[in-house]
Amino acid sequence: MAPPAEESPPVGPAVASPEALDEPTIVSRAQDGDAKAFEWLVSAHQGGVYRLCYRMLNDRSAAEDVVQETFISIWRGLPHLASPQTFVPWLYRSATNKCLDALRSRKRHPSDPMALEDLEDAPPVHGGDVMAGGAAGDPARECEIQAQMRALAVLLRAVPPGPRACWLLREVHEFSYCEIARIAQVSESTVRGRIARAKRFLAEGMASWR
């Protein structure tokens, strides 16, 4: 996804070999108006942002829209980012806030069933404290794990948005509690409480799979 053409500042030096640069350097180049550097950042992070948005919104089209809106707002705000090292938490904070805004404006009952095609195409959910075990080449076990993941995905929809966001950021995206606190703009103790609440709910719901 390229930044909006009408708002693109003059392009600086291209990032010929981004793998040879650290991410803060690429962020700095994007802040200076290097569109290719920004495209590299989009490519590197859009998959993770989409997974978060999809699991928050349970709607592919809505998730895609939020991802698009997030990167547009990030492009516009890049010149004002104080430190390139804070780019990833800032990106996820923007996406999380947009998801929460979308959920607040939505009038969908939380127990509405997820469409089968959405379940089939959804990115995987992995919760280390909820699910355990591996397929290890066993087709029967692999099928069972897939069924467990689908059950977890459906159950996750019933977790309130705040705890759901914190759980996803911790268990799926592996942010620290401190980073999640900055992303969610709440205290670290609140983050821990929300994650504990989500874990209890999911563990109880998945008890029959143990």
Side-chain angles (χ1 to χ4, degrees), residues 190-208:
T190 297
V191 168
R192 291 180 180 275
R194 288 180 178 180
I195 292 174
R197 178 182 175 190
K199 284 182 177 180
R200 284 195 300 270
F201 181 88
L202 294 172
E204 290 170 2
M206 298 300 295
S208 62

Side-chain angles (χ1 to χ4, degrees), residues 49 52-53 66-67 69-74 87-101 182-185:
V49 173
L52 172 67
C53 293
V66 169
V67 172
E69 292 168 9
T70 296
F71 280 106
I72 289 174
S73 69
I74 289 296
F87 174 79
V88 174
W90 176 55
L91 169 64
Y92 276 82
R93 181 169 70 244
S94 178
T96 300
N97 287 339
K98 290 182 187 303
C99 286
L100 292 173
D101 288 343
R182 290 198 294 267
I183 291 170
Q185 297 178 298

Side-chain angles (χ1 to χ4, degrees), residues 7-197:
E7 298 192 16
S8 299
V11 177
V15 181
S17 301
E19 65 277 2
L21 301 173
D22 59 28
E23 187 163 281
T25 299
I26 297 175
V27 172
S28 294
R29 292 194 178 194
Q31 287 184 289
D32 290 337
D34 187 337
K36 289 187 180 297
F38 183 71
E39 288 171 2
W40 186 92
L41 293 171
V42 172
S43 178
H45 294 291
Q46 65 182 350
V49 173
Y50 173 77
R51 285 191 292 275
L52 172 67
C53 293
Y54 181 87
R55 289 304 177 193
M56 288 296 297
L57 302 173
N58 303 298
D59 183 295
R60 284 173 293 176
S61 178
E64 290 167 358
D65 288 345
V66 169
V67 172
Q68 178 85 3
E69 292 168 9
T70 296
F71 280 106
I72 289 174
S73 69
I74 289 296
W75 170 253
R76 292 170 176 166
L78 261 177
H80 310 292
L81 181 65
S83 170
Q85 285 78 9
T86 64
F87 174 79
V88 174
W90 176 55
L91 169 64
Y92 276 82
R93 181 169 70 244
S94 178
T96 300
N97 287 339
K98 290 182 187 303
C99 286
L100 292 173
D101 288 343
L103 288 171
R104 279 191 286 266
S105 65
R106 181 187 289 176
K107 296 182 179 180
R108 176 185 294 176
H109 193 282
S111 63
D112 286 346
M114 183 185 288
L116 179 59
E117 60 270 21
D118 281 351
L119 277 174
E120 291 173 344
D121 295 340
V125 175
H126 299 288
D129 290 343
V130 178
M131 309 299 297
D138 182 345
R141 179 58 179 153
E142 185 174 345
C143 184
E144 181 183 2
I145 289 175
Q146 290 299 319
Q148 289 176 330
M149 292 304 168
R150 290 183 182 224
L152 177 60
V154 172
L155 189 63
L156 187 60
R157 302 183 71 212
V159 177
R164 189 193 318 168
C166 290
W167 186 89
L168 286 166
L169 290 167
R170 177 65 177 170
E171 300 296 334
V172 178
H173 299 280
E174 300 182 336
F175 284 102
S176 69
Y177 291 107
C178 181
E179 288 170 328
I180 297 169
R182 290 198 294 267
I183 291 170
Q185 297 178 298
V186 296
S187 68
E188 191 171 331
S189 61
T190 297
V191 168
R192 291 180 180 275
R194 288 180 178 180
I195 292 174
R197 178 182 175 190

